[in-house]
Amino acid sequence: MRQSDSEKIQLSGQLAPEQAGQRLDQAAAVVFDQFSRSRLQGWIKAGQLTVNGVPGKPRDKVLGNEVLALDAELAVEVDDAPQAMDLPVVYEDDSLLVINKPAGLVVHPAAGHHDGTLLNGLLHHAPSLEHLPRAGIVHRLDRDTTGLMVVAKTLEAHNDLVAQLQEKSVFREYDAVVVGVMTGGGTVDAPIGRHARDRKRMAVTDSGKPAVTHYRLAERFRGHTHIHVRLETGRTHQIRVHMAHVRYPLVGDPAYGGRMKFPAGASQSLRDALQAFPRQALHARRLGLVHPVSGEEMVFEAPLPADMQSLLSTLRTDAADA
């Protein structure tokens, strides 16, 4: 683990009389609501969060009116190396960073991708992110999915954004191009878990976690459809798995797309465009959230990347020439 200056936290607050009888960790989570309860429990156990100057245990009952004092250091949470990269920043302040992730960029280091990831770039862009879980990354996009991601820059923002995601109050809308001509929008409500035989893939399975995807039509072509997709949940590969499940797989999806299909009489230019499309046609276009400090409702948008714009243009030309 590389050496780093620690980040000091020194705070205090008084319990309310009506908190009498609560567990210490429960009461502390009210006073220091910018931190997760699990993190507060760790500080209590380490003696860094005291009651009237005296260490306690998470299960201790409080009497009300005590003064809680927090004198702690944020430990380094990630030991990956910072790496300079051109991060397309859409918005940044002291609490948040919103980026428009390009295709081909892996979010977290993993087997086969030990560096050159978004996390490495974030550590170079804002070194203090080393004190946050996963360098402030609270949700992810697949390597070849483009679009908007929000990153927390403080522990307070991280805790708040995680809570918003759990409460399903973060708005995420995607653009996708699928194989097949849809007649209308709809909702896919089907649990997703690991594929029974291929552990690198996901699948709709009864033993999976709940997953809900809403989609609506944007534009129809002779053999394809451009759709807007909104997520209620954030399962791995959710949109890709759900659209394949209802037999409208994403164009270019190497894992769930199946055999390539062309509409009858497809022009050579369309055939070439579909065969050359390098990834799943999926882009995180809109992201809405509540700012963790100001409480302001914020909405960000990222235009379609050039490869998807070109694909849609070719599909329109093919439809017009039919």
Side-chain angles (χ1 to χ4, degrees), residues 116-312:
T117 71
L118 173 62
L119 185 144
N120 298 109
L122 288 171
L123 290 172
H124 183 272
H125 179 82
S128 63
L129 291 177
E130 68 179 2
H131 297 290
L132 301 183
R134 296 188 175 185
I137 296 170
V138 295
H139 67 121
R140 56 165 287 176
L141 294 175
D142 296 334
R143 180 183 65 184
D144 288 327
T145 297
T146 57
L148 295 169
M149 287 183 61
V150 61
V151 177
K153 293 181 66 178
T154 67
L155 199 56
E156 177 183 12
H158 185 274
N159 192 43
D160 188 270
L161 290 172
V162 168
Q164 288 189 52
L165 285 162
Q166 291 173 342
E167 294 163 3
K168 303 178 183 178
S169 59
V170 175
F171 177 82
R172 290 172 289 171
E173 185 171 273
Y174 295 70
D175 278 79
V177 182
V178 301
V179 179
V181 182
M182 292 183 170
T183 57
T187 295
V188 185
D189 184 350
I192 291 177
R194 288 287 170 189
H195 193 283
R197 294 180 300 278
D198 185 351
R199 305 306 290 175
K200 294 182 179 180
R201 299 173 61 201
M202 308 301 288
V204 169
T205 171
D206 291 340
S207 61
K209 295 181 180 179
V212 180
T213 304
H214 306 282
Y215 61 92
R216 57 189 174 88
L217 300 187
E219 195 172 0
R220 287 187 292 188
F221 309 102
R222 292 198 306 123
H224 299 81
T225 310
H226 174 200
I227 59 174
H228 297 313
V229 185
R230 181 170 61 83
L231 290 180
E232 275 195 30
T233 52
R235 307 303 174 206
T236 301
H237 299 174
Q238 179 172 321
I239 294 173
R240 300 165 63 188
V241 171
H242 270 175
M243 299 320 300
H245 179 67
V246 295
R247 299 183 180 177
Y248 291 101
L250 271 59
V251 168
D253 193 329
Y256 306 100
R259 185 173 58 86
M260 185 171 293
K261 297 178 181 178
F262 303 108
S267 64
Q268 189 59 48
S269 60
L270 177 58
R271 288 175 174 269
D272 292 343
L274 291 171
Q275 289 175 328
F277 199 78
R279 63 184 183 94
Q280 63 266 9
L282 184 61
H283 173 69
R285 181 173 60 93
R286 297 186 72 210
L287 175 69
L289 53 87
V290 176
H291 194 282
V293 176
S294 70
E296 176 189 359
E297 292 188 2
M298 309 183 79
V299 178
F300 305 96
E301 295 204 26
L304 282 173
D307 59 355
M308 286 186 65
Q309 290 189 40
S310 178
L311 175 64
L312 288 170

Side-chain angles (χ1 to χ4, degrees), residues 8-30:
K8 195 81 170 171
I9 299 174
Q10 291 180 313
L11 298 169
S12 64
Q14 186 170 13
L15 298 181
E18 56 268 24
Q19 289 183 272
Q22 291 182 352
R23 287 170 46 127
L24 175 55
D25 59 354
Q26 181 184 10
V30 175

